[in-house]
Amino acid sequence: MNKSPDATRRSDRSRRAILDAALALVGEVGYNKLTIEAIAARAGVGKQTIYRWWPSKAAVLLDASLALAGDAETDGGWTGFPDTGDLAADLKTVMRATVDEFADEKYAAPARALTAAGATDPELGARFTERLLEPQLALYEARLRTARDAGLLAADADLRLVVEMLVGPLTYRWLLRTGPLTHAFADALVDGVLAGLSGVGKVTESR
Amino acid sequence: MNKSPDATRRSDRSRRAILDAALALVGEVGYNKLTIEAIAARAGVGKQTIYRWWPSKAAVLLDASLALAGDAETDGGWTGFPDTGDLAADLKTVMRATVDEFADEKYAAPARALTAAGATDPELGARFTERLLEPQLALYEARLRTARDAGLLAADADLRLVVEMLVGPLTYRWLLRTGPLTHAFADALVDGVLAGLSGVGKVTESR
């Protein structure tokens, strides 16, 4: 049964209202107290409308985060990875922006919630990693590949390892609050990782 | 009012039974489905006994994990950080052991659960980080300090940053399942981080 154009438009509008409500609420009450009921009430739809499209609040939040990431791109947040020719500067630009996002509850609350939910729910975790995380890691990897092709990194440098050496400590400090998450930390991290790479492929050499 | 020796002994036994039950159950049913009721039933105590000592299942699990960490030490898991004089080898020994622990649901299930719960509950997260995580990070830092004092690292190397460069990517890959968590990954990570440190203090030099 095909929907009429009006029904499709109403449906899109409801969907967007639900995602917006989920994002707003997770920032206000936190993930643990977030309920499908509250999302439905805020979005002005019935609970059944939500359950028709999503099996759980975590699933709503994953789609909401994907929509938010899409919006950030459209708003010119960043559509790709900067490439000024200066690898350290480009990595610092991106990682400082991530530090800023982690400090902004609009982004941080749903990301925290999904990371937490995914950690104890392998299926959700796999979807979160595949749909939200991997595309970001791929952008880092592409930028590092350009640097490697330009001879700035060893030809056999393990790019995926390098990406996780950059993103891992940042995410760790954010999630576990082991210290202040600052631009200075992001900069030091980039310098620390690149110090091991700018030489003669020490990362892979000693394995 | 002082307890009699018998009451104290009973109380210790109940406490231990509750912690054991919490660890067993979180491995069996996962954190999301873990309830105080089920812990009480498994431990053979009343719900009120648990609520008298702990405010939430997360609090029970934190104490259970601390007890588990204590047991691992008593069993000779490791009481300190190895110091053979070979920094890379010592770091690999410890990080391979962590990889093995993360692959063992007995350790991994409560650790995942606490990390997840702490991510969305700042107060619990702070206690988890302070009581369970920081003591481990301090052991890494002490081992790195010995290496720095021996002139193997730059005198001004930021040891805390180095610790998080090691532990961060390992925890990240474990929590977010971005790739296989293997001994080879631990080894490559240690080599990658040390490559940047064995030189002339590049970590701090370029900040």
Side-chain angles (χ1 to χ4, degrees):
Chain A
M1 194 176 73
N2 288 319
K3 282 185 182 176
S4 70
D6 271 4
T8 302
R9 209 172 301 128
R10 265 201 307 280
S11 175
D12 283 349
R13 212 159 43 215
S14 295
R15 198 184 135 80
R16 186 66 212 212
I18 291 164
L19 298 181
D20 287 345
L23 287 177
L25 281 168
V26 77
E28 291 169 25
V29 303
Y31 180 71
N32 296 336
K33 289 182 182 160
L34 182 69
T35 62
I36 294 282
E37 284 77 1
I39 297 171
R42 177 73 63 99
V45 304
K47 259 173 63 172
Q48 288 317 311
T49 303
I50 298 184
Y51 281 120
R52 196 160 60 227
W53 289 328
W54 294 279
S56 65
K57 66 178 181 179
V60 178
L61 217 47
L62 178 58
D63 278 350
S65 293
L66 286 166
L68 188 64
D71 290 349
E73 278 185 21
T74 311
D75 294 349
W78 52 288
T79 51
F81 216 94
D83 187 351
T84 65
D86 181 340
L87 177 62
D90 292 346
L91 290 172
K92 286 174 189 176
T93 299
V94 171
M95 297 189 78
R96 283 172 170 223
T98 303
V99 166
D100 293 342
E101 271 192 14
F102 282 162
D104 179 348
E105 276 305 296
K106 180 180 155 198
Y107 292 92
R112 255 181 209 288
L114 282 170
T115 306
T120 55
D121 176 344
E123 200 199 330
L124 175 75
R127 283 171 50 228
F128 170 67
T129 295
E130 181 193 333
R131 294 184 57 193
L132 207 58
L133 227 49
E134 288 292 350
Q136 294 172 24
L137 301 184
L139 293 175
Y140 274 87
E141 196 168 328
R143 180 64 188 84
L144 288 168
R145 189 171 295 112
T146 304
R148 193 177 64 179
D149 292 348
L152 298 170
L153 303 182
D156 59 352
D158 181 342
L159 300 184
R160 180 60 186 229
L161 174 65
V162 178
V163 172
E164 293 190 30
M165 284 174 68
L166 291 164
V167 176
L170 203 73
T171 307
Y172 182 86
R173 186 169 274 210
W174 167 62
L175 219 51
L176 296 163
R177 305 181 183 84
T178 45
L181 196 58
T182 59
H183 285 187
F185 177 73
D187 290 356
L189 184 55
V190 169
D191 289 334
V193 171
L194 291 188
L197 293 173
S198 53
V200 285
K202 282 173 184 158
V203 170
T204 50
E205 184 180 74
S206 46
R207 256 184 301 172
Chain B
M1 195 176 73
N2 289 318
K3 281 185 182 175
S4 70
D6 271 5
T8 302
R9 208 171 302 128
R10 266 200 308 280
S11 175
D12 284 350
R13 212 157 45 214
S14 294
R15 199 183 135 81
R16 186 66 210 213
I18 290 163
L19 299 181
D20 286 345
L23 288 176
L25 281 167
V26 77
E28 291 168 25
V29 304
Y31 181 70
N32 296 337
K33 289 182 182 160
L34 182 69
T35 62
I36 294 282
E37 285 77 0
I39 297 172
R42 176 74 62 102
V45 303
K47 261 173 62 173
Q48 288 317 312
T49 303
I50 297 184
Y51 281 121
R52 197 158 60 225
W53 290 327
W54 294 279
S56 65
K57 66 177 181 179
V60 178
L61 218 45
L62 178 57
D63 278 349
S65 293
L66 286 166
L68 188 63
D71 291 349
E73 278 185 19
T74 310
D75 295 350
W78 50 290
T79 50
F81 216 93
D83 187 351
T84 65
D86 181 340
L87 177 63
D90 292 346
L91 290 172
K92 286 174 189 176
T93 298
V94 171
M95 297 189 78
R96 283 174 170 222
T98 303
V99 166
D100 293 342
E101 271 192 15
F102 282 163
D104 179 348
E105 276 305 296
K106 179 181 156 195
Y107 293 92
R112 258 182 206 288
L114 282 170
T115 306
T120 55
D121 176 344
E123 199 200 329
L124 174 75
R127 283 171 51 228
F128 170 66
T129 295
E130 182 193 332
R131 293 184 59 193
L132 207 58
L133 227 49
E134 289 291 350
Q136 294 171 25
L137 301 184
L139 293 175
Y140 274 87
E141 197 168 327
R143 180 64 187 86
L144 288 168
R145 188 170 297 112
T146 304
R148 192 176 65 181
D149 292 348
L152 297 170
L153 303 181
D156 59 352
D158 181 341
L159 299 185
R160 180 58 186 229
L161 174 65
V162 178
V163 172
E164 293 191 32
M165 284 175 69
L166 290 164
V167 176
L170 203 73
T171 307
Y172 181 86
R173 185 169 275 210
W174 168 63
L175 220 50
L176 296 163
R177 304 181 184 82
T178 45
L181 196 57
T182 59
H183 286 187
F185 178 73
D187 290 355
L189 184 55
V190 169
D191 289 334
V193 171
L194 291 188
L197 292 174
S198 54
V200 284
K202 281 172 185 161
V203 170
T204 49
E205 183 181 76
S206 48
R207 257 186 299 173

